[in-house]
């Protein structure tokens, strides 16, 4: 809790500092402490995560479906409210396989989804596989495509047979593993291969390999 005048002063000061990383916890709070401002802490023993990195964003979404985390989206004593998308209910085909996942309204799932979070309006076609991933609104994973340990942003299209990311146990050099990211509106061509840690901002051609 901050007074408006104090918060404005330190935000504007930080904005004018070329050496600042523009991070509230890393720059502003330490500077206020060093300036002798009156600061108090509150000991919080519930769930908390800083989602300032790609990995922490992925982890936070995975925490939603981790049975070992100390919270539940379905806890009536502490309800989690979200924005309504005003879309029809999700459709899960009788032949689809869905486990340990959150599937939002408007999704159409015909393939396999495991330990993943599908935002509203996502389509996973027949024969497609999504594992340990976050698929954001309006994206399409076409037939035969495999998405693993990835974040796919809004309205992206993963074409037939493409492979995005990899399971860590399949990588010999663990330093090369990481979450793959497909940017908003990006199309990944047929049979393209996107390596772990790759960050896609532009379309990928059919059969292209991106490391």
């Amino acid at each position: 809790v901050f007074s408006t005048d104090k918060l404005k002063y330190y935000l504007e000061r930080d904005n004018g500092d070329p050496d600042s990383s523009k991070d509230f916890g890393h720059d502003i709070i330490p500077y206020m402490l060093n300036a002798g401002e009156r600061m108090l802490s509150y000991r919080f023993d519930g769930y908390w995560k800083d989602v300032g990195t790609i990995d922490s964003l992925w982890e936070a979404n995975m925490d939603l479906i981790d049975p070992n985390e100390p919270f539940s989206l379905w806890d009536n004593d502490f309800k989690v409210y979200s924005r309504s998308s005003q879309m029809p209910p999700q459709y899960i085909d009788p032949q689809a396989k869905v486990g340990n996942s959150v599937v939002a309204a408007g999704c159409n799932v015909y393939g396999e989804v495991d330990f993943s979070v599908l935002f509203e309006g996502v389509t996973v076609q027949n024969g497609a596989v999504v594992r340990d991933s976050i698929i954001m609104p309006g994206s399409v994973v076409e037939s035969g495509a495999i998405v693993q340990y990835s974040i796919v942003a809004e309205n992206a299209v993963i074409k037939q047979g493409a492979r995005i990311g990899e399971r860590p146990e399949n990588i010999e050099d663990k330093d090369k593993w990481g979450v793959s990211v497909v940017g908003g509106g990006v199309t990944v061509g047929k049979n393209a291969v996107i390596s772990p840690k790759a960050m896609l901002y532009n379309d990928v051609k059919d059969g292209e390999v991106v490391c």
Side-chain angles (χ1 to χ4, degrees):
V1 179
F2 296 88
S3 64
T4 303
D5 290 342
K6 287 285 186 182
L7 182 60
K8 180 180 179 181
Y9 170 79
Y10 284 105
L11 285 172
E12 289 179 343
R13 181 216 158 270
D14 186 74
N15 187 55
D17 182 358
D19 297 323
S20 171
S21 61
K22 302 297 183 284
D23 184 90
F24 201 86
H26 185 268
D27 299 294
I28 294 176
I29 290 179
Y31 188 86
M32 293 178 72
L33 184 64
N34 292 332
E37 295 290 354
R38 182 172 179 266
M39 306 190 75
L40 304 173
S41 62
Y42 171 75
R43 189 179 295 277
F44 177 68
D45 59 1
Y47 176 86
W48 180 88
K49 185 178 288 289
D50 183 348
V51 292
T53 65
I54 292 297
D55 286 346
S56 62
L57 173 62
W58 178 85
E59 290 169 0
N61 278 267
M62 295 298 104
D63 286 346
L64 294 176
I65 45 182
D66 187 342
N68 297 316
E69 288 297 336
F71 70 90
S72 170
L73 290 175
W74 298 272
D75 185 351
N76 287 325
D77 294 329
F78 191 81
K79 293 183 179 181
V80 177
Y81 294 94
S82 61
R83 174 177 54 87
S84 175
S85 61
Q86 302 298 319
M87 300 185 76
Q90 71 269 62
Y91 172 75
I92 299 177
D93 187 78
Q95 303 301 315
K97 296 180 179 179
V98 179
N100 307 310
S101 299
V102 172
V103 181
C107 289
N108 289 275
V109 180
Y110 301 88
E112 179 180 343
V113 177
D114 186 44
F115 213 76
S116 295
V117 176
L118 306 188
F119 283 70
E120 62 267 18
V122 168
T123 297
V124 180
Q125 294 184 357
N126 183 45
V129 176
V130 177
R131 295 193 188 102
D132 306 294
S133 294
I134 305 162
I135 314 295
M136 293 188 177
S139 291
V140 176
V141 183
E142 293 189 355
S143 178
I146 299 176
V147 179
Q148 301 183 107
Y149 285 89
S150 298
I151 299 174
V152 177
E154 297 90 340
N155 301 313
V157 177
I158 312 301
K159 291 287 191 177
Q160 297 178 14
R163 295 182 62 93
I164 314 294
E166 187 59 85
R167 299 178 73 87
E169 60 265 30
N170 296 335
I171 300 174
E172 293 181 4
D173 185 354
K174 298 303 179 184
D175 290 337
K176 293 182 179 180
W177 183 81
V179 175
S180 304
V181 178
V182 178
V186 168
T187 295
V188 178
K190 294 181 180 180
N191 301 313
V193 177
I194 311 302
S195 299
K197 283 189 178 180
M199 302 278 290
L200 300 183
Y201 301 100
N202 301 303
D203 293 348
V204 177
K205 297 177 181 178
D206 294 352
E208 187 175 353
V209 177
V210 178
C211 298

